[in-house]
Amino acid sequence: MNDDQLKQVLHEWKAEARVPASFRANVWERIAARQETRDLTFAAQFRQWLTGLIMRPALAAALGAVMLTLGIGTGWWKGSQDRTAEWSRLEAQYAESIDPYARTHALTTR
Amino acid sequence: MKRAGFLLALFTAASVVAFAVCYHFAMRPLRAMPGDLPTELAWLRTEFRLDDATFTKVRALHDAYEPRCMENCSEIARVNERIGALTMKGSPSAAEMDAVLAEAAELQRKCRGDMWRHIESVAALLPADKAQRYRAMMARAIVQPGLPYQPAHSR
């Protein structure tokens, strides 16, 4: 094919783009959805993200496990801390009960 | 959205319950202490796992020491007051100050002696390993009487 023939073919060729009937509607729908997301506050976006996350069973199970582990861990840790502090306080109270200087100090400062 | 909210509330509730249960179990040794005793004696009994017979003897020693300890307290307060009054007076004579400081030193010797004898009598009732631990814990009270007690161990 020489150049003239190619020019002729290109001149006669017409591109016929076939788009679905709902194309326009879909495009506007997507634009509207994007616009809506952009207008959401950070809290609302976070809520939307979290909702999406929880709706997936595997992720929901993982989140449940993490929250349960956190509850167990912090409960045990806080309990141990409070128990140690209270035990030390009782030990000091016993030591004070046999130390007249500590008792005098406690009596005069109360 | 509703289901997600429900799941989140459920997880939060489960987490709070897990916290409460674990906290409760971690604090159990404290609740196991006998409630009908003065707290310091209840601590002693629990810490050294004393049986009834030993604890009865330890308590008798503690009760017998109590009036002596209170008497020493009054003496300490009286001497401290005298030192304070002399100091506030302006310029007390050296002889006056020496006399009251000598009295304070003598009183401290007596108090520490009484304390040491009491600790030794309690330790004598305990098995050797517990007696040693008890002595080590109470030694700080004899070495530095009156200072805020700092427990060295944790439970």
Side-chain angles (χ1 to χ4, degrees):
Chain A
M1 187 182 284
N2 60 32
D3 283 357
D4 291 339
Q5 285 171 318
L6 181 63
K7 274 181 190 165
Q8 184 63 33
V9 169
L10 287 175
H11 189 69
E12 287 168 6
W13 178 61
K14 284 180 183 169
E16 288 177 20
R18 291 170 195 273
V19 292
S22 59
F23 179 76
R24 274 172 85 94
N26 284 349
V27 167
W28 281 113
E29 220 168 79
R30 286 172 66 185
I31 289 171
R34 281 278 172 85
Q35 187 66 38
E36 207 171 275
T37 311
R38 206 185 311 156
D39 291 347
L40 286 176
T41 59
F42 177 74
Q45 281 188 43
F46 177 73
R47 203 167 51 234
Q48 212 171 51
W49 171 77
L50 196 65
T51 307
L53 206 70
I54 290 176
M55 296 312 279
R56 295 186 206 170
L59 290 178
L63 183 67
V66 166
M67 285 179 76
L68 201 64
T69 309
L70 269 177
I72 292 170
T74 51
W76 189 258
W77 175 79
K78 182 80 176 85
S80 304
Q81 294 272 313
D82 288 359
R83 186 189 61 215
T84 304
E86 181 60 10
W87 205 253
S88 298
R89 193 187 66 76
L90 291 173
E91 183 183 332
Q93 197 174 325
Y94 174 78
E96 186 186 290
S97 79
I98 61 167
D99 177 356
Y101 283 90
R103 287 179 82 166
T104 309
H105 177 71
L107 287 171
T108 50
T109 52
R110 260 171 217 157
Chain B
M1 186 75 177
K2 251 185 182 176
R3 187 170 162 253
F6 170 74
L7 278 176
L8 206 57
L10 186 73
F11 293 159
T12 308
S15 184
V16 169
V17 169
F19 177 93
V21 168
C22 288
Y23 186 85
H24 179 84
F25 273 96
M27 294 290 278
R28 206 166 45 168
L30 284 172
R31 276 191 303 277
M33 277 185 13
D36 55 337
L37 294 173
T39 46
E40 63 271 18
L41 288 176
W43 169 82
L44 187 68
R45 182 174 192 164
T46 312
E47 172 70 29
F48 291 96
R49 294 190 171 83
L50 303 180
D51 58 45
D52 287 348
T54 310
F55 180 70
T56 307
K57 291 177 191 163
V58 168
R59 187 170 189 178
L61 282 177
H62 190 85
D63 290 345
Y65 173 72
E66 175 67 15
R68 205 161 64 246
C69 187
M70 281 310 287
E71 197 181 302
N72 288 340
C73 281
S74 315
E75 281 297 295
I76 292 163
R78 188 184 58 78
V79 172
N80 282 351
E81 220 166 274
R82 279 188 60 202
I83 296 173
L86 272 180
T87 312
M88 297 296 284
K89 205 169 91 174
S91 47
S93 74
E96 249 183 325
M97 203 61 187
D98 278 350
V100 76
L101 288 178
E103 193 182 345
E106 173 55 23
L107 182 60
Q108 193 179 95
R109 189 201 59 76
K110 179 183 175 292
C111 288
R112 287 167 109 170
D114 283 351
M115 219 190 320
W116 175 76
R117 272 184 290 278
H118 174 67
I119 290 168
E120 275 307 307
S121 346
V122 172
L125 296 171
L126 307 178
D129 56 329
K130 289 180 183 176
Q132 197 46 44
R133 195 156 66 85
Y134 175 75
R135 279 194 197 96
M137 283 167 119
M138 295 305 128
R140 273 161 291 159
I142 301 175
V143 175
Q144 294 183 310
L147 284 186
Y149 183 81
Q150 295 291 331
H153 79 296
S154 60
R155 190 182 166 90

